[in-house]
Amino acid sequence: MTDLPDTPGVPAEADWENAPSLVEGAMNLELTAATCDLGYWLRSVPQGTLRGQVAGHAPDVVPLDVTREPGPLNDALTRELAFRSIAEEKATRAISYLVALAPSLETMEFYATQLIDEARHSMVFRNHLTALGVADLTADVERLAGADRDAVLAPLEELGLRVLREESDFIGGVVVLTILVEGVLAPAAELSERKWRIFDPAASDIERGAGIDEIRHLTVGSSVAREHLLAHPEDRPRILDLIVRGRRLWSELPVTDMVLSREALFQKGLDQHADLVGDYEIWPGRRLVDTTVEERVGTALRWSEEMQTRRLAYMGLPEAV
């Protein structure tokens, strides 16, 4: 995204130039539904994070030819974006229950804004697939990510819908979304933003914008859960049990295998086109060309564990780790 002047009234955590990274923001910021209401969103997202860039990046920011053309980089990124587009679509549909069940206007407004955020994420991930040569979105998304959807997303969706649709459990749904879905998937998005910066700066910008949104989702979700448990300590055992069961489910899903498979494709493309990357550092002091599949995946897993630990402690449930 091209540099634009700061927008007056946009808070730092929602500003393109000033917002922290997703992992840093999600672990350290404190935001609440009361402060992140509909008015906050209208000031901060269209006028701040996006600044008119509905597609998530400026028109002149495009993938390199080596990423658009058939090959391991294209395979890795199209599989990743197809999966992300499905995950965000499922999140959008699930959040509609949070909007309906919200116990206050503040939480209703916040989850209404998150619903729009997730729908936009799904759209921009899906649309960017066309820039990478995907011709038939319906058929190709199914081909690229259908198996991963069934293996990873379907069990999580079943858990979430049981809590939200069948049990009408608002706070349980907040915890499932914040801790068991976004809290685990977010670090992979952070890795994606960093590793695609050279090969596809548009995809990296899309991830940057989505990550700024996810900071708000994760921190406000944690605050909603914290405030509820402080007001209703009798719900603590039930929520703790839900988190433990959810984390057990997550540990049984082939998430690591899925990410390792995509990273292996990325590594093959990285090895082929290392000259394009040069000395670019994926994180301070570490050149992307020097990293391995295991290092990148291990780093994302470590970020995920650290983020969950920090968020659960903030919610008052450190024993759930």
Side-chain angles (χ1 to χ4, degrees):
M1 184 175 287
T2 54
D3 291 341
L4 293 169
D6 290 343
T7 303
V10 175
E13 73 273 3
D15 183 81
W16 183 270
E17 301 297 335
N18 298 313
S21 70
L22 170 53
V23 171
E24 178 187 355
M27 287 202 294
N28 297 313
L29 287 178
E30 291 189 23
L31 300 171
T32 68
T35 56
C36 295
D37 58 6
L38 184 56
Y40 173 101
W41 187 90
L42 290 170
R43 291 188 304 273
S44 303
V45 179
Q47 300 182 58
T49 307
L50 297 179
R51 300 188 187 183
Q53 305 291 355
V54 177
H57 63 90
D60 59 344
V61 179
V62 297
L64 297 187
D65 288 342
V66 295
T67 310
R68 281 196 298 250
E69 297 164 354
L73 291 175
N74 185 274
D75 291 343
L77 186 51
T78 54
R79 285 176 58 182
E80 182 177 325
L81 293 179
F83 179 83
R84 293 290 304 281
S85 72
I86 296 173
E88 300 285 4
E89 177 192 347
K90 287 186 177 296
T92 304
R93 297 179 185 277
I95 290 168
S96 67
Y97 290 98
L98 288 176
V99 176
L101 294 170
S104 67
L105 283 174
E106 292 172 347
T107 49
M108 184 274 288
E109 284 194 3
F110 171 74
Y111 282 107
T113 67
Q114 184 171 346
L115 186 151
I116 291 296
D117 287 338
E118 308 293 14
R120 187 189 69 83
H121 298 169
S122 181
M123 177 192 74
V124 294
F125 290 137
R126 190 169 60 247
N127 288 351
H128 194 58
L129 286 168
T130 63
L132 296 169
V134 171
D136 186 335
L137 280 175
T138 300
D140 287 338
V141 166
E142 178 66 27
R143 172 180 59 82
L144 291 163
D148 290 335
R149 173 201 60 212
D150 294 343
V152 174
L153 296 177
L156 291 171
E157 182 181 39
E158 181 181 356
L159 171 63
L161 291 180
R162 183 168 67 249
V163 171
L164 285 166
R165 185 174 61 196
E166 298 173 20
E167 300 173 6
S168 297
D169 182 357
F170 171 77
I171 202 64
V174 169
V175 168
V176 169
L177 181 66
T178 304
I179 299 298
L180 302 177
V181 179
E182 291 195 317
V184 177
L185 293 177
E190 170 93 357
L191 177 64
S192 181
E193 178 193 341
R194 293 173 182 237
K195 78 181 186 186
W196 289 111
R197 176 54 61 190
I198 302 298
F199 291 124
D200 189 345
S204 186
D205 277 356
I206 288 170
E207 290 285 10
R208 167 67 171 163
I212 293 173
D213 290 338
E214 298 299 350
I215 291 172
R216 185 169 60 257
H217 302 166
L218 288 162
T219 53
V220 173
S222 299
S223 173
V224 170
R226 172 187 170 87
E227 291 173 5
H228 177 90
L229 292 174
L230 287 172
H232 301 279
E234 69 276 9
D235 281 348
R236 198 170 181 280
R238 177 175 64 83
I239 296 302
L240 182 60
D241 178 68
L242 175 61
I243 294 172
V244 170
R245 286 187 290 115
R247 284 168 62 88
R248 186 182 306 120
L249 169 65
W250 184 271
S251 70
E252 297 168 355
L253 300 178
V255 180
T256 302
D257 291 341
M258 175 185 72
V259 176
L260 283 170
S261 175
R262 293 199 302 237
E263 284 299 321
L265 287 169
F266 179 82
Q267 186 68 46
K268 186 175 180 180
L270 177 61
D271 292 342
Q272 290 177 356
H273 303 288
D275 58 309
L276 297 175
V277 179
D279 291 329
Y280 167 72
E281 294 184 351
I282 189 171
W283 43 76
R286 187 62 170 161
R287 299 194 310 165
L288 175 60
V289 292
D290 296 328
T291 62
T292 64
V293 170
E294 293 74 19
E295 179 183 359
R296 293 191 300 273
V297 174
T299 299
L301 291 174
R302 176 173 55 80
W303 286 340
S304 177
E305 192 65 29
E306 290 175 354
M307 184 185 298
Q308 283 200 39
T309 300
R310 185 75 63 89
R311 287 291 110 194
L312 287 168
Y314 173 75
M315 290 164 54
L317 296 168
E319 65 269 48
V321 177

